[in-house]
Structure formats: structure tokens, C-alpha cells
Amino acid sequence: MSANATAEDFALAGSLVREAGALALAMRSEGLTGKQKTSVSDVVTAADHAAEKLVLETLRRLRPEDGILGEEGASHEGTSGRTWVIDPVDGTYNFLSGSTYWCSALALRTDPFPETVDQDPEVLLGAVFQPQEDQLWLGGPGCPATLNGKELAPLEDTALDRLSAGTYLHPTWLQREEVAGPWTRAAAGAATLRMLGSGSCDLGSVASGRLGAWFQHSCPEWDWLPGKAIVEAAGGTTAVLEVNGFRWHIAGPAAAVQEIQHRLSTS
């Protein structure tokens, strides 16, 4: 199996996030309750597990040599040098609340995951599907970013003070200066802020130009890699930066990403 993503991989990824999102939406219409994980706003539902199982079983059948990692526990060590990273429902709090701002997301990355804090693995593709808006983003190296099959315009290099910034900070972190301080400095540089509750939806919006830039700390792979691939395929820049022992993830036009990095790291 090639370490690169093929046209068939991109088609498979798009199909899988559509199927996972449709399954989750159908299950929500039948009635769901959430189970708290780390906080009231960090929840999981039966739809998360069912959608992840659907993706896992399909990948095990069609890509048996690839590794698999899922937010809700899916795990398979592959032999191909590639791993699929699954987020069956990103924005579960929104999902349970009746909002349309949630998605199913999938990335394909290389192995192994880098051990240094300022590096990411090579991402071969990203797929994000927002079911209730019927929006499917795809992109990766050698494949221009698309929204519902239409190629996105390349991102223009724009300064942070001219852009909206998508971000997320759980209220409990406001009491911790080592996180709240850098976050406040970065947030203060944007034209305006958006905190909508789904990182992959946010990153799709950055690739589309609806959001100007994005930053968040401590993102797991499934919240970062699908959107990272799509932003980069749209001509944007991404970065990972350690500040006070926390790993910050940043995306957007190069000038805005550079300024966010500077603001995060300068006290």
C-alpha cells in the first residue's frame, strides 16, 4: 500500500464522513441522551459510537493494512505506514443541543506520530462533513481543497487584525494564567472572535474564507488533522507551538498565523 493518498482514498473518505454524519443525524432524530466525559460540555452519545463503528468496520474491510485511531476508542495498528484518524461526531454538545454546527471528520496521516511538541505528522488527506448544512470539505497534498466538489479559492494572505478568529477555551481554563494569558493575547489581535464549538467545522470555514484564522490549545489528532489538511490544501498555513507546556494549534493565512504565534509566546 502506498504511503500517499490515492484518488480512491479521497473518494472513500468523502463517502465515509457522509455515511457517519447521516447515521448520527438519523439516530438523533430518534432520540438520544448524552453521557458526560470530562465536563458538562464534553459529552458522548450512542451516535458517536455507532458512527465510529461504521467507519472502523468499513476501513478494516477496505484498507486492512492501514492503522485506525478513533476518538471513541477505535484502535488498530497497521502495517502500511498510514493511519486513519476518526472523529465520528465533532461538536457533540452542539449535536445534542439541536445546533447544525457539528460534523463527522476523518484524516489519513503517516506513521509514526512525531514525538516533538512542535511537529505534526504528514497529513495525506482530510474530510469533513456537516450533515445538516450538506457541506463536504475534502483536501490534502496533491488535491486542492473543495467544498461539495467545487475547488475553493486560495486563501489571501491577510493580517490578523483584519480577520475573524475562531477559537475555543473551556471556561475552567480562564482561571489558569498559563493558558488564559496566551489565549487573551492572541484573541486581542483579531478583528472579532467566534467560539462555535466544533474545531473541524471551524477549520473548514477557515479554508472557505468564512473564518479568518483559528487557534486552540491541546487538540487531539481527530480535532486537528482533518481540518489541517484542508486548510493547507486551500493555500493556508498551519503551525503547532508550545507555550507554558501547552501545545497550541494555529491555522489561517501565513501572516495571521505568524502573528498568533508571536502573541501566544510573548508575555
Side-chain angles (χ1 to χ4, degrees):
M1 179 76 69
S2 170
N4 298 317
T6 65
E8 290 77 14
D9 290 326
F10 278 95
L12 176 60
S15 174
L16 283 174
V17 291
R18 278 192 176 276
E19 292 178 22
L23 174 60
L25 183 58
M27 291 182 68
R28 189 181 74 174
S29 69
E30 296 171 358
L32 284 172
T33 58
K35 180 180 179 182
Q36 183 172 318
K37 293 162 74 174
T38 63
S39 70
V40 171
S41 60
D42 182 17
V43 291
V44 65
T45 71
D48 295 74
H49 291 291
E52 182 165 292
K53 181 181 179 183
L54 181 155
V55 177
L56 169 66
E57 291 180 346
T58 303
L59 289 173
R60 292 290 292 121
R61 184 176 72 253
L62 298 180
R63 298 291 187 274
E65 297 177 3
D66 289 348
I68 299 172
L69 177 67
E71 179 180 11
E72 307 309 334
S75 180
H76 171 70
E77 187 172 345
T79 59
S80 67
R82 316 187 321 170
T83 292
W84 295 86
V85 181
I86 311 166
D87 195 343
V89 177
D90 179 38
T92 304
Y93 188 80
N94 290 349
F95 172 71
L96 270 178
S97 301
S99 168
T100 66
Y101 205 79
W102 61 276
C103 65
S104 293
L106 187 63
L108 178 62
R109 65 160 169 83
T110 59
D111 298 327
F113 194 93
E115 295 181 359
T116 54
V117 297
D118 60 346
Q119 289 185 336
D120 270 343
E122 181 185 3
V123 185
L124 305 176
L125 68 78
V128 173
F129 179 56
Q130 199 174 344
Q132 291 177 269
E133 304 294 337
D134 191 28
Q135 296 186 131
L136 172 65
W137 288 272
L138 282 171
C143 180
T146 60
L147 175 56
N148 291 345
K150 183 178 180 180
E151 187 172 337
L152 295 172
L155 293 182
E156 295 183 6
D157 199 13
T158 308
L160 181 62
D161 64 1
R162 307 294 299 174
L163 298 174
S164 62
T167 185
Y168 180 75
L169 189 71
H170 192 275
T172 56
W173 288 104
L174 292 171
Q175 303 170 30
R176 297 184 58 172
E177 178 59 26
E178 68 270 33
V179 169
W183 182 86
T184 300
R185 292 194 300 270
T192 188
L193 295 177
R194 301 288 182 263
M195 195 178 297
L196 301 172
S198 169
S200 287
C201 288
D202 287 348
L203 288 164
S205 294
V206 171
S208 305
R210 301 172 188 170
L211 274 178
W214 185 87
F215 65 99
Q216 187 175 324
H217 76 88
S218 307
C219 291
E221 291 184 61
W222 43 80
D223 284 342
W224 170 239
L225 296 182
K228 165 187 163 72
I230 296 165
V231 169
E232 290 177 351
T237 297
T238 68
V240 177
L241 176 71
E242 184 182 15
V243 180
N244 300 333
F246 291 89
R247 185 177 163 103
W248 290 85
H249 301 74
I250 312 160
V257 169
Q258 184 176 12
E259 183 169 353
I260 292 170
Q261 288 181 281
H262 176 72
R263 285 176 170 272
L264 286 170
S265 59
T266 303
S267 58

